[in-house]
Amino acid sequence: MGTGSSVNANFKYSLQKSENAFKAAVLIQRWYRRYVARLEMRRRCTWRIFQSIEYACEQDQIKLHNFFSYLMDHFTPSSSKERDFISRMFVSGESVKEAELEKYCDYESMEVPGSYIGPRLSFPLLPDHATALLEAFKQKQQLHARYVLNLLHETRKHLKQLPNISHISTCYSEEVTVCGDLHGQLDDLFLIFYKNGLPSPSKTYVFNGDFVDRGKQSLEILIVLFTFLLVYPNEVHLNRGNHEDHMVNLRYGFTKEVMQKYKVHGRKILKMIQNVFCWLPLATLIDEKVLIIHGGISDTTDLDMLEKIQRHKFTSVLRGKKRKELEFSRWVRQTVQEQIERCRRLVDVSESEEEELTYSSLVSMTDLDAPCWTRQEEWKQILDILWSDPMPQEGCRENTVRGGGCYFGPDVTAKILEKYHLQFLIRSHECKQEGYEFCHNRKVLTIFSASNYYEIGSNRGAYVKLGPDLVPHFVQYQANKTAHTLTMTQRISRVEESAFRALREKLFAHTSALSSAFKAYDKDGTGRITLSNWATAVESVLRLGLPWRMLRPQLVRSAADGALEYQSWLDDLAMEQRSREHIQSGLLEVIYRNRSNLETIFRIIDRDHSGLISFEEFYQTWKLFSSHMNIELTDDGISDLVRSIDFNKDGNIDFNEFLEAFRLVKQSQ
């Protein structure tokens, strides 16, 4: 009896112990799930902040160029000086004539000094040249300007012979590797080559655009890719992205990078790169089944039209919307003359021996009865494939978030796939947390190869490999060593801090508009508004589409009785920014809001990219953009202003002096 009782007691004790352990495990599991869910919510909010700010910046860029188009249509020059200024501003982006381009590419007249210890190139290029460049760039060496220009010259010659849509097959290589945006992050390219191997006759690569901007080593990426393109022309394929556009480069850093690295020959290098970009193919087809484009498609995408477009005519896709009648008629006359010349060549080929035939010209010569598309239709085809994004909803609508291209739904994807007998699309253009993402029933694949794009730990990079079965295999990576040492919580906290810092700068840049919006809800002038009204007012001003009520605890520290003292909150924003920049808060707000536009305008005026503009260019600029900036100045006032801001008295205006002028005028108002 005693023994049985003891056994029962032990059994009950064990059962109770197991039950308690099970309850504890359930509680821990619930706690962990809530913890992970909160982390995921924070990650998604952070992601939306970064993307909203990025796309708003792109929208500002296109708005600025729409304003340029408006000036083209409505600004009437009152003097020959103003006519010359307008001409330089808006025609400098047009296609460069062959003879003029040769002048920019006079690399043969450049001498490489004996003290130069960097890599040396000789043409035709060999695989050893490519590997030597990789090692040199790992050692932070710089390629001499002579070799850069020579490389660009040879790259341009090669690209001119390529079709608008490259056709490749998995029959001739083990697999095809597709890489997305790199955005000047050379370490990501190094890591891809380390993991996947260098381009070779058995290893084909497709790089899907956006090689440049934002990162600090865009030029090195171009040099490496162009070198491998010339060494393995059948195994390396480059698509054009929306950042392979000299007008976009003015805003996002590539122009500035080149001029800083090549102060003497930077202008020549930029002019050559501008022309090389417009010769990049627009798409790639793998086994006639997988279409690779940078951005996306629309309900009007026509691959037959894309095949025949003279792509080099579009040096900047941002400059396709409007043209002044004078410019349009000049283009029409040029086009007619080109058609006459083509017909003449067909009759007497001997007269065309001096002119180099390109792939696009050969297409036109062999298909004279093809439909005649307008320049506007051709421009929209290119704009859509470079700028568009997929959306989960059906249909196709204007991409108002980016300001260019469109949003296309799964029905649009299905229609294009069926029409051209495709299996799926590969595109890039959007940063994804895991480096890749499927949508539209796995018929659209986004691949993004720039890791840590927004901040260290924000996202992985990835590339995709396709064999003869066309089944995608992904490889993900983190190029930054610090990201590997961070826990998930540390990584999210670091990225979150960076995102909210950027968002507070955005809020501060719109202080005046926010103050007016808050006062509209404060009918009694109490200086307080509800948190709900705060969220509505903030969205009405910034239009970022963010969940402000969810973000409010990170942005509004205290709100007694569910109400916010909005002026105190705005003062706190100003104090935070002033601690970094010792400028009057009202002026600093204006600078934060307009700096990107002002810098873009300055670089457009600065045609030789010297970092300086003349007094006359400054004078014409302020007359031209006074309506855009809501600033009124008399002619004498502009003259006095230009003299007062030329601090070093060198007779030119640099960007800091240009910015100073803007501050002074705002201050006087």
Side-chain angles (χ1 to χ4, degrees):
M1 289 289 292
T3 304
S5 175
S6 175
V7 169
N8 286 336
N10 288 337
F11 176 75
K12 288 181 180 179
Y13 175 75
S14 298
L15 191 64
Q16 183 67 37
K17 190 175 180 181
S18 298
E19 186 177 341
N20 290 340
F22 179 76
K23 288 180 179 179
V26 170
L27 286 173
I28 292 171
Q29 190 178 57
R30 286 177 181 173
W31 174 85
Y32 180 73
R33 284 175 177 171
R34 284 197 297 267
Y35 170 74
V36 171
R38 283 196 296 270
L39 283 180
E40 177 62 15
M41 183 181 68
R42 288 169 60 191
R43 184 197 66 79
R44 291 187 181 184
C45 284
T46 299
W47 197 258
R48 286 193 64 179
I49 292 170
F50 275 129
Q51 282 204 326
S52 296
I53 292 176
E54 179 188 3
Y55 294 166
C57 190
E58 290 183 346
Q59 192 178 111
D60 286 345
Q61 171 78 355
I62 293 182
K63 284 179 181 177
L64 183 61
H65 289 284
N66 287 344
F67 171 70
F68 289 164
S69 298
Y70 175 84
L71 285 178
M72 285 288 288
D73 289 337
H74 297 90
F75 184 80
T76 304
S78 60
S79 66
S80 60
K81 287 183 178 180
E82 288 187 359
R83 277 193 294 273
D84 291 343
F85 180 70
I86 288 287
S87 176
R88 290 198 306 273
M89 283 278 293
F90 297 102
V91 183
S92 61
E94 299 297 323
S95 297
V96 182
K97 293 181 179 179
E98 199 75 26
E100 186 180 349
L101 205 61
E102 291 297 327
K103 181 186 71 175
Y104 283 105
C105 198
D106 59 343
Y107 58 87
E108 292 178 345
S109 65
M110 298 180 189
E111 290 188 8
V112 180
S115 58
Y116 172 71
I117 59 172
R120 296 175 183 267
L121 301 181
S122 60
F123 296 82
L125 292 173
L126 301 173
D128 287 346
H129 290 118
T131 54
L133 273 176
L134 291 176
E135 289 304 315
F137 290 154
K138 287 177 183 177
Q139 302 300 320
K140 309 300 181 184
Q141 293 179 357
Q142 184 169 296
L143 186 63
H144 192 276
R146 174 195 168 98
Y147 301 127
V148 176
L149 287 169
N150 198 351
L151 177 66
L152 293 172
H153 175 72
E154 296 296 327
T155 301
R156 179 175 176 273
K157 280 170 54 179
H158 172 70
L159 291 175
K160 287 176 69 175
Q161 307 306 315
L162 299 182
N164 291 346
I165 301 178
S166 302
H167 296 258
I168 59 179
S169 173
T170 56
C171 296
Y172 302 110
S173 61
E174 297 174 3
E175 59 192 7
V176 176
T177 301
V178 183
C179 302
D181 300 34
L182 288 167
H183 278 303
Q185 298 185 188
L186 187 60
D187 287 342
D188 287 300
L189 184 59
F190 285 156
L191 192 54
I192 291 170
F193 286 158
Y194 174 77
K195 284 177 168 289
N196 197 56
L198 297 176
S200 69
S202 62
K203 195 167 291 293
T204 299
Y205 276 91
V206 179
F207 293 93
N208 196 26
D210 277 13
F211 319 122
V212 302
D213 280 332
R214 295 199 169 97
K216 296 180 180 179
Q217 293 176 293
S218 297
L219 186 56
E220 286 82 356
I221 285 180
L222 280 187
I223 291 170
V224 169
L225 294 183
F226 290 164
T227 300
F228 276 113
L229 175 69
L230 296 179
V231 174
Y232 299 110
N234 297 319
E235 288 78 36
V236 175
H237 304 271
L238 309 179
N239 285 349
R240 185 175 182 177
N242 65 306
H243 278 261
E244 278 66 64
D245 184 314
H246 73 103
M247 297 304 295
V248 178
N249 302 153
L250 287 167
R251 188 184 193 104
Y252 291 102
F254 181 52
T255 299
K256 187 175 182 180
E257 176 192 331
V258 174
M259 290 307 300
Q260 286 178 340
K261 290 177 178 177
Y262 293 91
K263 293 180 171 59
V264 177
H265 300 291
R267 183 187 177 192
K268 295 179 181 179
I269 292 172
L270 283 171
K271 186 61 71 174
M272 281 298 297
I273 289 174
Q274 171 183 329
N275 196 264
V276 169
F277 280 170
C278 71
W279 281 107
L280 286 168
L282 302 173
T284 300
L285 265 173
I286 301 179
D287 292 344
E288 305 299 318
K289 292 295 183 183
V290 179
L291 177 65
I292 307 172
I293 67 273
H294 177 72
I297 55 176
S298 73
D299 53 0
T300 60
T301 294
D302 185 339
L303 297 188
D304 297 324
M305 189 189 302
L306 277 175
E307 283 273 22
K308 297 178 176 66
I309 288 174
Q310 290 185 301
R311 65 184 186 271
H312 66 285
K313 298 290 186 183
F314 298 89
T315 57
S316 175
V317 181
L318 294 180
R319 280 189 170 172
K321 271 192 174 180
K322 296 181 181 179
R323 286 179 160 267
K324 215 170 185 179
E325 289 184 12
L326 177 63
E327 287 300 311
F328 183 76
S329 63
R330 182 182 65 79
W331 174 74
V332 169
R333 288 197 302 273
Q334 179 183 337
T335 304
V336 171
Q337 185 62 35
E338 287 172 353
Q339 293 295 335
I340 293 172
E341 289 296 319
R342 290 194 189 100
C343 293
R344 186 169 62 87
R345 287 198 297 268
L346 284 173
V347 175
D348 186 4
V349 179
S350 62
E351 294 186 34
S352 68
E353 288 177 354
E354 294 181 0
E355 182 176 344
E356 181 181 6
L357 292 178
T358 65
Y359 178 86
S360 55
S361 65
L362 287 170
V363 168
S364 300
M365 289 168 61
T366 56
D367 196 11
L368 293 177
D369 294 329
C372 182
W373 299 293
T374 66
R375 186 180 177 92
Q376 185 77 6
E377 289 174 319
E378 293 180 339
W379 164 77
K380 188 179 186 308
Q381 289 289 319
I382 298 178
L383 181 75
D384 286 343
I385 65 166
L386 296 188
W387 281 85
S388 297
D389 295 305
M391 65 177 181
Q393 300 84 6
E394 301 278 302
C396 186
R397 60 183 175 83
E398 185 181 358
N399 192 333
T400 54
V401 175
R402 287 191 192 267
C406 67
Y407 282 118
F408 62 98
D411 56 326
V412 176
T413 297
K415 195 175 297 183
I416 290 289
L417 296 181
E418 182 181 1
K419 180 178 179 180
Y420 295 104
H421 311 292
L422 303 171
Q423 289 187 14
F424 62 96
L425 307 178
I426 297 179
R427 44 91 63 177
S428 301
H429 196 44
E430 286 184 287
C431 181
K432 299 298 180 182
Q433 189 194 15
E434 296 301 321
Y436 72 93
E437 184 179 276
F438 277 108
C439 65
H440 294 183
N441 300 315
R442 296 180 70 85
K443 295 300 183 183
V444 174
L445 167 63
T446 299
I447 195 79
F448 196 86
S449 299
S451 64
N452 307 293
Y453 179 63
Y454 294 123
E455 175 63 70
I456 293 175
S458 64
N459 66 286
R460 295 178 182 179
Y463 56 87
V464 60
K465 300 193 288 186
L466 300 172
D469 57 1
L470 298 180
V471 175
H473 300 276
F474 302 99
V475 177
Q476 299 167 286
Y477 54 84
Q478 280 276 11
N480 188 286
K481 293 180 181 178
T482 304
H484 294 283
T485 64
L486 299 174
T487 64
M488 182 171 65
T489 304
Q490 289 173 329
R491 189 166 62 248
I492 290 176
S493 297
R494 181 169 184 159
V495 175
E496 185 180 55
E497 181 183 349
S498 178
F500 277 102
R501 184 167 59 249
L503 186 57
R504 281 191 285 270
E505 287 182 4
K506 196 81 174 172
L507 288 164
F508 171 70
H510 293 79
T511 298
S512 300
L514 286 170
S515 180
S516 299
F518 294 154
K519 287 176 182 177
Y521 285 100
D522 182 19
K523 304 292 186 183
D524 300 327
T526 62
R528 294 159 63 88
I529 57 172
T530 65
L531 294 175
S532 177
N533 286 341
W534 170 85
T536 305
V538 169
E539 176 57 27
S540 70
V541 172
L542 267 65
R543 299 186 181 278
L544 293 177
L546 291 172
W548 295 104
R549 289 174 178 81
M550 189 180 297
L551 301 177
R552 192 262 309 163
Q554 295 284 349
L555 297 170
V556 180
R557 294 178 182 174
S558 60
D561 303 324
L564 170 70
E565 293 184 3
Y566 55 85
Q567 191 55 54
S568 175
W569 178 72
L570 291 173
D571 290 342
D572 288 342
L573 282 179
M575 187 68 68
E576 183 178 338
Q577 305 307 323
R578 271 209 308 272
S579 65
R580 280 182 275 152
E581 307 229 19
H582 303 291
I583 305 175
Q584 182 186 340
S585 61
L587 296 177
L588 188 59
E589 174 200 342
V590 174
I591 299 301
Y592 267 77
R593 190 168 61 249
N594 293 282
R595 185 182 180 100
S596 292
N597 282 342
L598 287 170
E599 188 164 1
T600 304
I601 291 168
F602 181 87
R603 296 193 183 284
I604 291 172
I605 302 164
D606 178 22
R607 289 188 67 235
D608 63 357
H609 305 295
S610 63
L612 301 170
I613 59 176
S614 68
F615 281 6
E616 180 62 30
E617 288 171 328
F618 177 86
Y619 175 85
Q620 296 295 346
T621 302
W622 280 84
K623 287 194 66 177
L624 189 60
F625 293 108
S626 58
S627 61
H628 183 52
M629 299 176 185
N630 295 317
I631 297 171
E632 294 183 5
L633 275 180
T634 63
D635 290 354
D636 290 340
I638 296 175
S639 298
D640 291 340
L641 179 64
V642 72
R643 284 193 294 270
S644 67
I645 63 171
D646 183 20
F647 300 126
N648 56 6
K649 306 303 177 187
D650 63 350
N652 292 297
I653 305 297
D654 62 24
F655 179 65
N656 287 329
E657 292 171 335
F658 185 73
L659 209 57
E660 179 68 15
F662 188 64
R663 288 175 46 205
L664 290 175
V665 171
K666 276 294 183 182
Q667 190 172 30
S668 68
Q669 291 186 326

